[in-house]
Amino acid sequence: MSRTESVSPSDFIRNIIANDLESNKNEGRVHTRFPPEPNGYLHIGHAKSICLNFGLAAENKGGLCNLRFDDTNPSKEDVEYIESIQSDIRWLGFDWDDRLFYASDYFENLYECAVKLVKKGNAYVCDLSVEEIKQYRGTLKEPGKNSPYRTRSIDENLALFESMRAGEFEDGSCVLRAKIDMSSPNLNMRDPVIYRILEVTHHRTGTRWCIYPTYDFAHCISDSIEGITHSICTLEFEDHRPLYDWILDELGLDCHPQQIEFARLNLSYTVMSKRKLLKLVEEGHVTGWDDPRMPTISGLRRRGYTPESIRNFCERIGVAKRESQVDIALLEHCIREYLNRKAPRMMAVLRPLRVIIDNYPEDHEEELEALNNPEDPSMGTRNVPFSRVLHIEREDFLEDPPKKFFRLAPGREVRLRYAYYITCVGVVRDEQTGEVVELHCVYDPETRGGWSTDGRKVKATLHWVSAAHSFQAEVRLFNHLFTKENPDEENKTQSFKDFLNPISLERLTSCCLEPALAEASPGDIYQFERLGYFCVDSNDSSDRKPVFNRTVTLRDTWAKISKNIPRP
Ligand code: ATP
Ligand code: MG
């Protein structure tokens, strides 16, 4: 993959790895993994973790990064998610070669490990109910109480665990727990559950198992089996690290990876929990996981975000140990910056107002040359047809303009981009509603291309399309999905769904687009002059009938915000 970003980033994780390499820990190997649970689509937070894990492997000689599906909770998992996760990671520009693994591949191995703990007297079968286990666990202030089943003999535990596996007990009737310390200040160490009974079909192992390992038990052992050197996860697992280490130590496994925690990405005006995103999908607040308003990778892709812009975003936010919220304007800034260099310019009128050029010959038309990208002359030029009847943006005309409005008004002259100077000489209104429906203008033939020969200046340049040559299309404008900066801040009376933005989607169905846009294919991205960047929707477009999604507007609020951020 191409890496335009030149300086390699530095952060506390990279420092740890640099030190490990210097002391030849792990024989100089760097081996990471990205371990998604296939219970939803990947989101921009996962992208941070992907860029970090795959990035570390790429930066270090011989470095490797595995993709491992953490599929230990079959009740919530689905093959649809497994497929989408793989295609999203590839799309982001990362590759796991032949190192695709599933925690479920290790079920036999994990079972053996559990048996080993039982044999060592380090695990026991407990018949307390879920509710009782919770009560016995105690609180942060009070120590827990030993389960009455804690003193079962090793032989009894072995037999019971075997019966659990054989399907002789009902769901929830018992669990296997690690025997650690019910008075540990760390709640995770108070005899955590490591196996539970779940009579559900697994998407890979079918009905072979009716007991499944918990995340904490499966994760460290899976890391060890794969020879992972640095097991990177988010901060909420910091308190689980002693358990991670305890399990590996008690099992005496050769490979003992180091767990390192970093702060997860939180983004303003959106939510990142898969549980909440699933709710939005299931309840129809969005059209699917790939709705362009979603913070998912597939939503961002459909919206017009590129892999480069997302990787660049992840690099800019960096990796740290403290939770924070990143302004969504930074993400928008990254795609805007990318598209400003790469996206061809086109003209499109979203809310058309008809303009008749009275002094332009009726049966005449001409081709005017327009730059495809003024930022990059190598992108060349194209011809845009011009004729007597045009469309301009409704909001570019005001009959009674306030002081700072420099666009079209009665008697006023403006430039039509790449075309001519025009002056408004008449206004036609609907007799009933009084709404302006048409403007009459005159043009100055001496200003072809949009430049006057006598040095006459105009204060505004408008985009336009020729009515007869343009075609009608649907354009979708998106706004933040939530009205609240942090929709996760729920309270007694309001859930995150109460903060959904009622106008997060605006569909405009009678937009008039420059004819060249009829050729656009799904995924193509353009700058519509003066309006923003727009991407051809890959689900709802058909041949020569593109539907456009607004990726991002032109105005950069991040540039403004970042000026006020104190520099370290
Ligand atoms: P959720 O809490 O929404 O269900 P998760 O953490 O359970 O998310 P996983 O599929 O387990 O989702 O995540 C895979 C990897 O991505 C984990 O290592 C996790 O730490 C990391 N990850 C998840 N969300 C974020 C985030 N917002 N920022 C950074 N990394 C994340
Ligand atoms: Mg998780």
Side-chain angles (χ1 to χ4, degrees):
M1 85 193 219
S2 71
R3 290 208 160 266
T4 46
E5 310 89 34
S6 52
V7 269
S8 53
S10 159
D11 51 64
F12 79 99
I13 296 183
R14 287 175 166 92
N15 291 343
I16 292 174
I17 291 182
N19 287 335
D20 288 349
L21 289 175
E22 208 169 276
S23 63
N24 204 36
K25 190 176 166 190
N26 309 307
E27 299 84 42
R29 289 185 311 117
V30 174
H31 199 154
T32 56
R33 86 284 171 268
F34 174 66
E37 190 180 343
N39 60 356
Y41 279 58
L42 295 182
H43 53 57
I44 182 80
H46 293 116
K48 174 178 178 177
S49 175
I50 292 168
C51 289
L52 177 60
N53 280 296
F54 283 94
L56 289 170
E59 285 160 28
N60 289 285
K61 199 161 157 269
L64 299 171
C65 178
N66 297 357
L67 169 59
R68 183 199 316 139
F69 286 105
D70 171 22
D71 54 352
T72 52
N73 187 5
S75 49
K76 289 184 179 161
E77 294 161 7
D78 199 287
V79 267
E80 177 194 348
Y81 299 136
I82 293 194
E83 279 156 19
S84 76
I85 288 171
Q86 295 186 56
S87 80
D88 285 349
I89 299 174
R90 283 216 185 84
W91 178 79
L92 274 175
F94 298 103
D95 191 5
W96 51 90
D97 289 325
D98 56 352
R99 289 180 313 282
L100 170 61
F101 302 107
Y102 294 83
S104 56
D105 291 343
Y106 311 135
F107 279 170
E108 192 62 49
N109 209 323
L110 291 162
Y111 179 79
E112 290 306 321
C113 287
V115 169
K116 190 168 173 183
L117 288 186
V118 175
K119 285 186 176 160
K120 283 186 71 190
N122 279 336
Y124 62 98
V125 174
C126 179
D127 298 358
L128 291 180
S129 67
V130 176
E131 204 35 56
E132 287 166 330
I133 290 182
K134 224 191 224 157
Q135 281 166 12
Y136 274 67
R137 190 162 57 185
T139 62
L140 281 175
K141 289 191 192 117
E142 282 170 49
K145 267 195 323 200
N146 282 354
S147 158
Y149 305 99
R150 201 175 200 261
T151 49
R152 276 177 166 156
S153 72
I154 289 177
D155 285 342
E156 191 185 357
N157 281 319
L158 278 176
L160 285 171
F161 189 42
E162 214 163 282
S163 301
M164 276 173 69
R165 177 184 185 164
E168 289 167 24
F169 303 130
E170 272 179 35
D171 272 26
S173 58
C174 57
V175 293
L176 185 72
R177 299 176 69 175
K179 194 191 275 187
I180 310 181
D181 178 5
M182 288 308 290
S183 58
S184 166
N186 184 338
L187 292 173
N188 295 299
M189 299 299 271
R190 296 187 187 169
D191 292 10
V193 172
I194 57 177
Y195 261 93
R196 67 250 196 253
I197 302 173
L198 280 176
E199 285 281 359
V200 278
T201 307
H202 188 280
H203 50 97
R204 282 178 62 82
T205 57
T207 52
R208 213 172 317 149
W209 293 89
C210 60
I211 55 170
Y212 292 94
T214 56
Y215 171 88
D216 279 329
F217 188 66
H219 202 79
C220 53
I221 300 173
S222 304
D223 280 348
S224 173
I225 292 171
E226 292 174 19
I228 301 303
T229 55
H230 301 86
S231 175
I232 299 165
C233 60
T234 36
L235 276 182
E236 68 272 22
F237 291 104
E238 194 165 23
D239 290 344
H240 296 235
R241 191 182 343 123
L243 179 56
Y244 185 104
D245 290 332
W246 183 91
I247 294 170
L248 294 182
D249 286 340
E250 290 302 326
L251 289 169
L253 296 177
D254 286 343
C255 171
H256 189 138
Q258 178 183 3
Q259 178 180 304
I260 308 171
E261 309 85 17
F262 71 102
R264 59 170 51 233
L265 168 66
N266 299 304
L267 201 57
S268 62
Y269 297 104
T270 192
V271 293
M272 214 79 93
S273 134
K274 279 189 281 187
R275 183 180 58 80
K276 288 180 182 171
L277 294 174
L278 178 64
K279 263 221 169 89
L280 295 179
V281 174
E282 283 179 341
E283 295 178 7
H285 300 291
V286 294
T287 56
W289 285 96
D290 67 348
D291 186 300
R293 292 166 292 177
M294 291 279 270
T296 50
I297 307 290
S298 50
L300 290 167
R301 171 168 63 229
R302 197 170 153 199
R303 174 91 172 241
Y305 276 77
T306 61
E308 295 84 353
S309 62
I310 295 178
R311 294 201 302 263
N312 183 249
F313 169 75
C314 291
E315 199 161 302
R316 284 186 193 212
I317 56 175
V319 176
K321 202 90 192 163
R322 215 184 54 197
E323 286 281 354
S324 65
Q325 187 177 61
V326 174
D327 196 316
I328 199 165
L330 175 61
L331 181 62
E332 293 171 351
H333 175 78
C334 291
I335 185 62
R336 193 180 284 115
E337 195 179 62
Y338 177 87
L339 293 176
N340 183 38
R341 284 181 281 123
K342 305 276 187 177
R345 276 50 172 169
M346 289 278 170
M347 289 199 280
V349 175
L350 300 187
R351 297 171 183 90
L353 175 60
R354 227 166 109 90
V355 171
I356 306 197
I357 313 285
D358 290 338
N359 60 339
Y360 196 87
E362 264 190 53
D363 47 4
H364 191 59
E365 62 179 63
E366 63 187 306
E367 298 280 339
L368 297 168
E369 192 177 49
L371 286 173
N372 284 334
N373 186 350
E375 300 283 321
D376 181 2
S378 77
M379 286 172 72
T381 61
R382 69 186 187 284
N383 287 330
V384 187
F386 185 89
S387 64
R388 183 179 148 91
V389 183
L390 310 170
H391 292 302
I392 65 165
E393 210 66 66
R394 197 158 267 284
E395 63 175 37
D396 280 339
F397 173 80
L398 275 184
E399 209 170 4
D400 193 9
K403 230 176 162 191
K404 288 206 169 148
F405 186 90
F406 300 117
R407 293 170 265 168
L408 201 57
R412 182 175 298 164
E413 187 173 49
V414 296
R415 173 190 296 114
L416 293 181
R417 185 124 162 105
Y418 300 122
Y420 294 99
Y421 282 16
I422 59 164
T423 305
C424 179
V425 293
V427 177
V428 180
R429 344 169 141 272
D430 182 294
E431 274 177 20
Q432 252 127 55
T433 63
E435 189 195 11
V436 176
V437 289
E438 193 173 278
L439 300 179
H440 284 266
C441 293
V442 291
Y443 86 118
D444 175 0
E446 299 299 311
T447 55
R448 195 169 192 273
W451 306 107
S452 73
T453 45
D454 60 4
R456 196 164 88 243
K457 293 234 165 41
V458 284
K459 281 198 171 148
T461 301
L462 312 187
H463 61 277
W464 54 274
V465 294
S466 161
H469 299 89
S470 66
F471 71 103
Q472 239 187 37
E474 176 174 333
V475 175
R476 297 170 184 171
L477 307 182
F478 304 108
N479 298 302
H480 294 154
L481 191 48
F482 292 90
T483 51
K484 195 170 185 266
E485 200 166 346
N486 183 1
D488 284 318
E489 265 172 18
E490 295 167 301
N491 55 44
K492 282 205 186 77
T493 56
Q494 288 174 303
S495 95
F496 75 104
K497 287 184 291 180
D498 292 319
F499 310 126
L500 275 164
N501 181 359
I503 50 162
S504 58
L505 166 64
E506 205 178 336
R507 289 174 57 182
L508 304 175
T509 49
S510 42
C511 308
C512 293
L513 275 48
E514 177 179 336
L517 284 167
E519 310 294 331
S521 339
D524 287 354
I525 311 175
Y526 300 90
Q527 184 191 102
F528 290 176
E529 300 244 9
R530 300 179 61 231
L531 297 174
Y533 295 96
F534 293 79
C535 170
V536 181
D537 189 89
S538 39
N539 293 20
D540 300 339
S541 301
S542 49
D543 196 30
R544 299 187 65 84
K545 249 191 132 351
V547 170
F548 282 88
N549 294 328
R550 183 171 70 194
T551 310
V552 68
T553 54
L554 289 181
R555 261 229 345 260
D556 192 348
T557 47
W558 177 253
K560 248 200 209 150
I561 297 165
S562 63
K563 264 193 215 134
N564 300 323
I565 297 176
R567 303 208 180 274

